[in-house]
Amino acid sequence: MDIRYPKARPLLFEAVRVLASSPESIQTRLIDATESLLSVTIDEFACDPELTIKFARILDLIAVDRGDVEATAVETAAHMSDAQAGLIADLVCDFLYEIA
């Protein structure tokens, strides 16, 4: 049995694990999950346009690419409200569920 999205699944699982298991603020958890999220390439979902759009939305909410995406993502997450960070965390969890 072939595993769909073999590179993305473990990285997204790690991001969800970080989001779910830390006692830190949601913004800090999102910052900690950023490394795993940014390691996933959008090209992995090229065969499914709907997943490509959903993942692009997550990336857009985390950080607009202005050179150093990881630094931008950390800065962006640090200034999010709890509701904004929670929305992104929900999107990440939903996305992992969709590709599982």
Side-chain angles (χ1 to χ4, degrees):
M1 182 174 144
D2 288 336
I3 296 175
R4 292 180 354 162
Y5 315 110
K7 295 177 186 171
R9 284 180 68 180
L11 292 167
L12 287 164
F13 181 80
E14 177 61 22
V16 169
R17 188 190 65 73
V18 168
L19 289 167
S21 64
S22 174
E24 300 295 328
S25 71
I26 187 67
Q27 292 86 352
T28 301
R29 289 183 276 166
L30 191 56
I31 289 168
D32 292 344
T34 297
E35 182 179 346
S36 294
L37 291 171
L38 295 178
S39 295
V40 177
T41 63
I42 203 162
D43 295 338
E44 183 143 0
F45 310 109
C47 63
D48 189 331
E50 187 176 336
L51 288 179
T52 300
I53 291 168
K54 288 180 180 183
F55 191 68
R57 180 174 182 222
I58 291 169
L59 294 178
D60 284 345
L61 291 170
I62 290 174
V64 177
D65 187 1
R66 292 180 286 185
D68 187 353
V69 178
E70 190 165 350
T72 303
V74 168
E75 182 181 325
T76 301
H79 297 291
M80 286 181 182
S81 68
D82 289 351
Q84 290 169 317
L87 170 72
I88 295 171
D90 286 344
L91 290 172
V92 171
C93 293
D94 290 347
F95 193 81
L96 177 62
Y97 178 78
E98 283 193 49
I99 67 166

